[in-house]
Amino acid sequence: MSTHGEWEAVIGLEVHCQLLTKSKIFSGAATAYGAEPNTQADAVTLGFPGVLPVLNGDALRMAIKFGLAIDATITQRSVFNRKHYFYPDLPKGYQITQYELPIVAGGKLDIELPDGSTKTIGITRAHMEEDAGKSLHENFVGVTGIDLNRAGTPLIEIVSEPEIRSAAEAVAYLKKLHQLVVYLGVSDGNMQEGSFRCDANVSVRRRGTEKFGTRTETKNVNSFRYVEKAIEYEIERQIGVIEAGGVIVQETRLFNPDTGETRSMRSKENANDYRYFPDPDLLPVVVTTDDIEKIRATMPELPEAKRNRFMQQYGLPKYDASVLTAEAALADYYETVVSTSAGDPKICANWVIGDLLGLLNKQSLEIGASPVSAAALAGLVARIADKTISGKIAKEVFEAMFAGEGSADDIIKAKGLVQITDESAIAAAIDEIIAKNPGQLAEYRGGKDKLFGFFVGQAMKATQGKANPEALNRLLKEKLAG
Amino acid sequence: MHKLSIKQLSEGLRAKQFSSRELTQFYLERISRYEPSLNSLITTTAERALAQADAADAAIAAGNAGPLTGVPLIQKDIFCTRGVRTSCASKMLDRFISPYDATIVEKLDAAGMPMLGKANMDEFAMGSSNETSWYGAVKNPWDLERVPGGSSGGSVAAVAAGLAPVATATDTGGSIRQPAALTNLTGIKPTYGRVSRYGMIAFASSLDQAGVVARSAEDAAVVLQAMSGFDPRDSTSVDRPVDDYVAALDRPIKGLRIGLPKEYFADGLAPSSRQRIEQAIEVFKTLGATFTEVSLPNSPLSVPTYYVVAPAEASSNLSRFDGVRYGHRSESARTLEEIYKRSRGEGFGAEVQRRIMIGTYVLSHGYYDAYYLQAQKVRRLIFDDFKRAFESCDLLLGPTATDVAFKLGTNVDDPVAMYLNDIYTIAANLAGIPAMSLSCGFVDGLPVGMQLMGNFFDEARMLNAAHQYQQATDFHRQLPKGFE
């Protein structure tokens, strides 16, 4: 992490998070990503004359769910406003959003910093609003295409307090927030598809001063890495300007991922007067305490609680528990493996974190797309536990399972991998090896202990790795001792 | 035939005295004969009407007829009609064919009413004389040199001239009641939220309400009945059963407590109009109604409040007309900014542009609190005035307009004088209460209207009182000369 000498950065983030509803926030049009342009634009989406908005109850419930997860106050009478500006991808000439009375107010999020310490970031508010459409510049010459499929997709805009002090903290905050919304099932969090977008407000001040410097807002930085780069660039740029005797201009800037730089988009003087006023087509959104409690009852276990439970219930180290609870789907996978296999939780964790995630990452697969189901992996772990196969053979079986060759039992059977536990058979194999290697035997007995490994290798080779390792070790030691 | 009430038409249809096709044809012929002198329609939809009439005749033959089956109507051109131009009397939407039907269009289609055409109106319903229409001014059938009132001028002119038995209309600050008063009709604006606004092109969303103009309270009641009700597509529509307006008509009104707001009888009301209303009060007394004076102390604030709230909402609602997806796009525009500026500059008329500018100003940063927010507070006071009045009264009675219809061109250069036309009607929109206008006589051959205002969702009582008055008088049965 870079430091900035006598300067301190002050950062606040605004995250636009698309809610995972089937239909739009104010109409029945579908919200699926990637459809042919304008095929998900009904009369309401297109802003036809005479159409009216009707709030999607699912969007409201998801926003409340998010609010409860960050310990916020749910506004029991929130209001939708109109925010006016002209742009071709904004069909009505105004965006329906919440302004003075957002649905979620005053929450917080605990983030973990790279040094292991925790910091609480305040969340000022989260409000519901509709997304705009998209202007398409590619594949057009001299004109701009408009795709209104995205217009009207429900968003929550999550605004943090200016309590973030570095690019690294910003990334930690975003990752935590991202994990949370995906956990809650209120967003798919897909950053490539724009489901989770970030604007960064950055200013700098001399350490020890109270007053904030003039801030800039960098728009639409759509990956964790870009957020880090954009903020880092902006901090350095602002310090440079001030140290050179200049002043920071309040403005909106755009990040260019190719150069890693931000550039001015529009200054405050050119900012729109949005002419906010309460949308007369929508009544205030009234939420009762009973409504809130009903939603609270549907809250899933949140990441931190789950991690702590994994440490307690399964005796896992913090690292394992953190990895396994990073995603709800992975945590569910792990718990299915443990309960179905009746295996040792730590061994199960090793399989999931080491072998499974290793292969998934190599092939860039999500846990949901794993070729080995939790039940299948449990089947494998059970064969280790009941000593049908050794842990070493199990790796081979797992790779075959991942390649789609069948269940653990099928593969063990097909490849004849059942472990040899018959001690007389193992003893016979050992006898043969000792007989074949008189020189090594003499050296071993002469004190060269390292040769034990050589004999283990030879014996495993002779049994095609199927000998029960514990029995092999014990018998080999006895026989080598003479 | 054009003198018959809807009830009589319906009975004639069921008795097979005439078919809906014949009736529709009859009105279409009257439209071709009289329309050139009135300009009350923007679009005539003969084919659609005749197809609907045939369907109505089939329903009648099959014994599936309702009270409105086969009775034609005219829709104000503010309601979206699928496959038919929906212009809102603006150049902006001159070529706009709506891809969907407004809820009330669906409802009245389903009721079996053939739509003869789409009525002229003030552009985007902004006006009190029907002189702001892109399609030209509408003439008052009672005197072709006079205005029919606005914004529903086409609806009233058509019904008053017998081009249709009934027409839909909308009322944001008096646009149903004032034109009804100026043309000897009965026009009702129900409670805000009673009739769906879905598919009604928005002027000022918190004030707009659809209603009916007809030749009697009885006709208005039966059509309003079919239009009313909760619509899940309109968040501001109210989920509450609709009273039986027709059944309520014949109740005696003995003991009805009617309040006379003293502010409505102050200077500004033409003495001749006042005299007609005083005569109407006497009629009501003979029917057993009692009268008391009440005060609506904040009513002088209605017009200024309205001219903050309505333009503010209008400036926002009309933002969607940007030349990008539908509507007028300037042919000379080369850049995005030019598309916006020129399309809107060319597509909107002067009055619409004036209100967009006023609305933009009152919502702008630094002025919002002083204007819009303040206006909303005053609106609350106006609402409280009515609430207090209805504690001791069942209905309020007063004038609808300051005077009879004025001559075309009188107020076109004086917006404020034009705005003051709505001085008695605006308060009901600001409060959201139902109100109606009905004829109470004539001055020099021109109709005078009186206004009834009711408590929330008390349309039935209002229509009942109006009907009882119309049973005792015959002003509403008079027809303008030259259109018999």
Side-chain angles (χ1 to χ4, degrees):
Chain A
M1 195 176 76
S2 55
T3 55
H4 305 285
E6 60 172 322
W7 294 96
E8 178 181 55
V10 175
I11 301 161
L13 298 177
E14 291 168 18
V15 171
H16 288 86
C17 174
Q18 284 185 354
L19 297 176
L20 204 49
T21 55
K22 290 191 179 66
S23 58
K24 294 189 176 177
I25 184 165
F26 298 119
S27 86
T31 52
Y33 179 84
E36 282 294 302
N38 299 309
T39 54
Q40 290 175 174
D42 59 0
V44 175
T45 304
L46 288 163
F48 266 110
V51 298
L52 295 170
V54 176
L55 179 62
N56 179 335
D58 283 341
L60 174 63
R61 283 185 281 276
M62 287 181 184
I64 293 172
K65 209 168 179 182
F66 172 76
L68 294 175
I70 59 164
D71 252 335
T73 306
I74 305 303
T75 311
Q76 291 191 254
R77 192 175 179 281
S78 68
V79 170
F80 280 103
N81 286 64
R82 295 182 180 178
K83 175 184 180 178
H84 300 84
Y85 60 93
F86 285 106
Y87 205 69
D89 61 19
L90 187 72
K92 298 185 295 299
Y94 58 84
Q95 178 195 30
I96 305 177
T97 180
Q98 295 190 307
Y99 186 53
E100 284 172 331
L101 294 168
I103 182 72
V104 172
K108 62 182 172 58
L109 197 66
D110 290 333
I111 63 169
E112 270 168 46
L113 302 180
D115 67 2
S117 63
T118 338
K119 177 173 177 176
T120 300
I121 304 295
I123 292 179
T124 320
R125 57 185 283 158
H127 62 256
M128 294 182 276
E129 63 184 23
E130 57 179 345
D131 210 341
K134 282 179 187 166
S135 298
L136 308 173
H137 302 289
E138 283 170 31
N139 307 325
F140 290 97
V141 179
V143 292
T144 299
I146 305 293
D147 177 7
L148 295 175
N149 282 351
R150 194 181 72 175
T153 299
L155 295 174
I156 42 173
E157 180 178 334
I158 305 157
V159 182
S160 84
E161 289 289 321
E163 293 172 351
I164 298 165
R165 291 290 172 267
S166 69
E169 283 184 23
V171 171
Y173 168 82
L174 284 176
K175 285 189 169 165
K176 193 68 190 285
L177 195 62
H178 183 265
Q179 180 192 41
L180 184 64
V181 294
V182 174
Y183 240 84
L184 290 168
V186 302
S187 179
D188 65 15
N190 192 318
M191 296 176 89
Q192 280 87 46
E193 293 176 4
S195 300
F196 191 88
R197 320 195 286 268
C198 176
D199 301 335
N201 288 294
V202 177
S203 66
V204 297
R205 63 180 174 192
R206 280 179 210 278
R207 270 181 215 286
T209 52
E210 282 281 309
K211 203 168 164 277
F212 290 157
T214 304
R215 70 186 155 86
T216 64
E217 182 180 13
T218 302
K219 282 272 182 202
N220 272 330
V221 224
N222 294 332
S223 81
F224 296 130
R225 202 162 55 89
Y226 291 163
V227 168
E228 186 158 24
K229 277 183 141 181
I231 292 175
E232 202 52 57
Y233 176 86
E234 194 49 27
I235 295 170
E236 294 291 349
R237 186 190 71 83
Q238 290 187 15
I239 294 171
V241 168
I242 299 169
E243 287 188 338
V247 286
I248 301 302
V249 185
Q250 186 173 341
E251 62 184 355
T252 304
R253 300 178 69 86
L254 262 189
F255 176 68
N256 180 345
D258 297 331
T259 60
E261 295 174 352
T262 66
R263 66 174 169 80
S264 179
M265 195 167 102
R266 61 168 180 260
S267 71
K268 196 190 172 195
E269 285 71 40
N270 296 324
N272 288 305
D273 179 351
Y274 292 124
R275 293 178 283 121
Y276 286 100
F277 82 108
D279 191 330
D281 287 334
L282 290 160
L283 303 174
V285 183
V286 176
V287 181
T288 65
T289 310
D290 190 45
D291 295 334
I292 295 171
E293 289 316 309
K294 272 187 191 139
I295 293 166
R296 198 190 300 279
T298 70
M299 294 285 283
E301 190 180 20
L302 295 181
E304 264 169 42
K306 205 183 269 285
R307 184 187 68 190
N308 293 340
R309 178 170 66 80
F310 274 31
M311 290 167 67
Q312 277 197 330
Q313 184 177 341
Y314 302 119
L316 296 178
K318 188 175 176 183
Y319 172 80
D320 288 21
S322 300
V323 173
L324 290 171
T325 56
E327 282 178 66
L330 182 64
D332 291 347
Y333 186 103
Y334 169 74
E335 295 209 272
T336 307
V337 173
V338 174
S339 61
T340 316
S341 68
D344 175 59
K346 174 59 183 157
I347 289 176
C348 292
N350 291 346
W351 275 99
V352 173
I353 294 170
D355 302 88
L356 178 70
L357 286 186
L359 284 183
L360 288 176
N361 287 345
K362 207 181 267 179
Q363 300 195 12
S364 303
L365 290 175
E366 297 286 323
I367 183 70
S370 169
V372 179
S373 70
L377 181 57
L380 177 65
V381 174
R383 292 293 85 80
I384 306 166
D386 69 13
K387 300 202 160 80
T388 306
I389 53 172
S390 68
K392 189 157 176 265
I393 289 291
K395 307 249 175 208
E396 189 186 330
V397 176
F398 180 73
E399 278 174 25
M401 289 168 74
F402 203 89
E405 292 175 28
S407 71
D409 286 342
D410 292 343
I411 294 164
I412 292 165
K413 200 174 158 199
K415 298 197 171 179
L417 297 175
V418 176
Q419 183 165 249
I420 302 166
T421 46
D422 176 356
E423 296 201 359
S424 62
I426 297 171
I430 292 172
D431 288 342
E432 205 174 305
I433 285 156
I434 291 178
K436 274 189 194 159
N437 298 287
Q440 279 84 350
L441 181 67
E443 280 182 56
Y444 177 82
R445 288 186 174 160
K448 204 167 177 187
D449 289 352
K450 272 199 274 179
L451 278 169
F452 186 72
F454 164 78
F455 286 105
V456 171
Q458 291 297 312
M460 273 296 179
K461 207 170 163 186
T463 58
Q464 288 107 49
K466 291 184 285 183
N468 177 290
E470 180 266 327
L472 178 81
N473 274 334
R474 180 166 39 77
L475 292 172
L476 190 60
K477 249 182 200 148
E478 284 171 20
K479 291 198 182 272
L480 287 174
Chain B
M1 199 131 63
H2 63 282
K3 294 176 184 170
L4 299 179
S5 70
I6 290 179
K7 195 172 159 192
Q8 288 166 329
L9 289 173
S10 188
E11 282 164 4
L13 286 163
R14 283 166 205 246
K16 312 271 165 60
Q17 287 167 7
F18 43 83
S19 66
S20 176
R21 174 170 267 271
E22 284 163 349
L23 189 59
T24 303
Q25 200 75 60
F26 168 80
Y27 281 115
L28 288 169
E29 277 160 22
R30 281 186 72 82
I31 287 171
S32 13
R33 182 158 10 125
Y34 294 114
E35 184 49 15
S37 61
L38 293 173
N39 195 29
S40 68
L41 297 180
I42 290 171
T43 306
T44 305
T45 51
E47 246 175 76
R48 187 186 194 272
L50 290 170
Q52 284 180 292
D54 290 344
D57 283 330
I60 293 165
N64 294 330
L68 293 169
T69 306
V71 178
L73 92 167
I74 286 170
Q75 290 278 8
K76 185 175 179 178
D77 206 20
I78 199 169
F79 295 108
C80 287
T81 41
R82 187 154 46 93
V84 176
R85 170 170 63 181
T86 301
S87 74
C88 232
S90 180
K91 181 185 179 184
M92 180 60 86
L93 292 177
D94 181 44
R95 283 176 291 177
F96 176 68
I97 310 286
S98 174
Y100 77 103
D101 278 326
T103 296
I104 71 141
V105 172
E106 276 180 2
K107 284 189 158 208
L108 295 174
D109 277 355
M113 301 187 83
M115 182 181 85
L116 300 165
K118 308 282 304 278
N120 202 346
M121 53 184 281
D122 277 302
E123 185 182 3
F124 284 104
M126 297 177 189
S128 304
S129 64
N130 216 124
E131 292 171 287
T132 70
S133 169
W134 162 247
Y135 301 93
V138 178
K139 317 294 193 314
N140 189 329
W142 290 89
D143 178 349
L144 295 174
E145 289 181 3
R146 291 178 189 265
V147 303
S151 67
S152 307
S155 299
V156 293
V159 175
L163 310 190
V166 65
T168 58
T170 61
D171 191 314
T172 303
S175 283
I176 288 176
R177 292 161 285 157
Q178 182 254 16
L182 271 42
T183 55
N184 202 41
L185 295 186
T186 304
I188 179 163
K189 174 203 97 73
T191 309
Y192 183 79
R194 181 69 296 177
V195 175
S196 170
R197 292 189 297 114
Y198 187 79
M200 169 177 157
I201 298 177
F203 160 17
S205 310
S206 73
L207 303 163
D208 294 344
Q209 184 58 204
V212 189
V213 290
R215 291 192 9 256
S216 66
E218 182 192 82
D219 286 0
V222 63
V223 178
L224 185 63
Q225 191 87 52
M227 289 168 71
S228 297
F230 174 64
D231 181 3
R233 291 178 294 190
D234 174 2
S235 308
T236 61
S237 93
V238 178
D239 193 358
R240 168 190 167 119
V242 180
D243 291 339
D244 190 335
Y245 302 141
V246 179
L249 293 173
D250 291 324
R251 289 198 302 238
I253 58 165
K254 193 169 165 34
L256 184 73
R257 300 170 304 163
I258 301 178
L260 301 169
K262 64 175 187 192
E263 293 81 4
Y264 282 47
F265 292 90
D267 295 347
L269 174 61
S272 51
S273 294
R274 176 203 299 263
Q275 201 190 24
R276 298 297 175 277
I277 293 165
E278 283 167 352
Q279 287 164 357
I281 292 170
E282 293 310 312
V283 174
F284 273 115
K285 282 182 183 166
T286 62
L287 294 169
T290 61
F291 284 85
T292 47
E293 188 184 88
V294 296
S295 177
L296 302 172
N298 291 293
S299 56
L301 299 174
S302 294
V303 173
T305 302
Y306 177 85
Y307 279 96
V308 171
V309 174
E313 294 181 8
S315 71
S316 173
N317 285 327
L318 270 56
S319 300
R320 70 189 59 201
F321 303 108
D322 57 7
V324 173
R325 297 168 314 289
Y326 53 78
H328 177 73
R329 183 188 288 189
S330 171
E331 286 179 7
S332 68
R334 292 285 169 271
T335 64
L336 180 59
E337 197 168 311
E338 283 176 7
I339 289 180
Y340 291 144
K341 288 183 172 168
R342 295 188 188 178
S343 302
R344 289 167 66 81
E346 295 166 11
F348 292 137
E351 182 60 27
V352 173
Q353 294 193 22
R354 179 180 296 125
R355 298 204 197 187
I356 289 173
M357 285 194 282
I358 294 170
T360 302
Y361 178 78
V362 300
L363 287 178
S364 59
H365 188 74
Y367 296 96
Y368 176 82
D369 288 1
Y371 291 105
Y372 192 77
L373 206 60
Q374 191 67 14
Q376 291 293 15
K377 287 180 190 163
V378 176
R379 198 172 168 178
R380 180 79 209 182
L381 297 176
I382 290 167
F383 170 91
D384 290 341
D385 281 356
F386 281 110
K387 211 176 143 196
R388 221 173 297 116
F390 286 121
E391 282 168 10
S392 58
C393 300
D394 302 313
L395 295 176
L396 300 177
L397 187 152
T400 306
T402 51
D403 205 341
V404 294
F406 49 88
K407 293 211 162 162
L408 286 155
T410 310
N411 290 324
V412 284
D413 297 323
D414 188 347
V416 175
M418 188 69 96
Y419 296 169
L420 288 171
N421 265 292
D422 299 330
I423 192 159
Y424 304 127
T425 49
I426 276 173
N429 299 83
L430 291 169
I433 58 169
M436 69 186 292
S437 178
L438 66 160
S439 178
C440 61
F442 296 85
V443 171
D444 299 332
L446 294 171
V448 176
M450 68 173 156
Q451 186 178 201
L452 295 176
M453 292 178 276
N455 209 339
F456 291 94
F457 298 100
D458 217 1
E459 288 82 1
R461 197 196 301 258
M462 222 165 57
L463 286 161
N464 171 213
H467 179 67
Q468 291 303 310
Y469 173 81
Q470 289 178 339
Q471 294 304 101
T473 56
D474 68 350
F475 303 121
H476 67 289
R477 291 203 186 86
Q478 309 303 312
L479 296 175
K481 287 190 184 64
F483 297 91
E484 292 98 340

